[in-house]
């Protein structure tokens, strides 16, 4: 199995930048990609970004492309999500997940392992 622990969330002001971290452990060889999803109150979980674990190639939701940046550091077994120019509607619980099945990175069902989430709250 793969274990994932998110950190870096908190209360920030609109316009700030934030970098979230996801510490990855376990059988990382079983994961082809690591993804970030978010879920706001009353809304469905949505895809934000993903990174190919081996190559570092990033993939982004068209909605968030240009403001989100994903990266990974193999030496630290960590995947990062930087969000620039934070807006109040970025408020959500952010989850990282490990994709273990072949498929589109936007598809939650292809991710077998999920972290507990980290809360991001953006005030105006």
């Amino acid at each position: 199995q793969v274990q994932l622990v998110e950190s870096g969330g908190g209360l920030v002001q609109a316009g700030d930048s934030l970098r979230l971290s996801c510490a990855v452990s376990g059988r990382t060889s079983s994961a082809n990609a690591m993804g970030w999803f978010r879920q706001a109150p009353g809304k469905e979980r949505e895809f934000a970004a993903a990174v190919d674990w081996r190559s570092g190639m990033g993939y982004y939701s068209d909605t968030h492309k240009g403001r989100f940046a994903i990266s990974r550091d193999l030496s630290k077994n960590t995947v990062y999500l930087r969000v620039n120019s934070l807006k109040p509607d970025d408020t959500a619980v952010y989850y990282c997940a490990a994709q273990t099945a072949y498929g589109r990175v936007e598809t939650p069902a292809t991710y077998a392992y999920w972290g507990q989430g980290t809360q991001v709250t953006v005030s105006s």
Side-chain angles (χ1 to χ4, degrees):
Q1 63 177 334
V2 179
Q3 295 82 41
L4 308 107
V5 181
E6 303 96 334
S7 62
L11 177 63
V12 297
Q13 294 187 211
D16 286 352
S17 296
L18 192 65
R19 187 174 74 168
L20 306 179
S21 299
C22 177
V24 183
S25 62
R27 194 162 61 89
T28 57
S29 61
S30 67
N32 58 295
M34 303 292 176
W36 283 97
F37 295 77
R38 69 181 190 180
Q39 188 166 22
K43 297 188 178 295
E44 295 183 1
R45 188 169 299 184
E46 67 173 2
F47 171 76
V51 61
D52 184 283
W53 188 243
R54 298 168 184 83
S55 72
M57 182 69 69
Y59 304 87
Y60 299 92
S61 164
D62 289 340
T63 303
H64 307 111
K65 185 177 181 180
R67 196 163 61 89
F68 287 15
I70 191 168
S71 62
R72 63 98 174 89
D73 187 337
L74 293 179
S75 68
K76 297 181 178 180
N77 259 13
T78 302
V79 59
Y80 304 96
L81 181 71
R82 177 172 290 279
V83 185
N84 296 323
S85 302
L86 282 156
K87 306 172 182 178
D89 60 4
D90 290 323
T91 296
V93 178
Y94 286 71
Y95 299 89
C96 64
Q99 187 186 47
T100 56
Y102 177 81
R104 296 170 58 190
V105 294
E106 300 91 345
T107 305
T110 64
Y111 293 80
Y113 304 102
W114 296 78
Q116 83 289 342
T118 184
Q119 176 72 48
V120 174
T121 303
V122 184
S123 63
S124 59

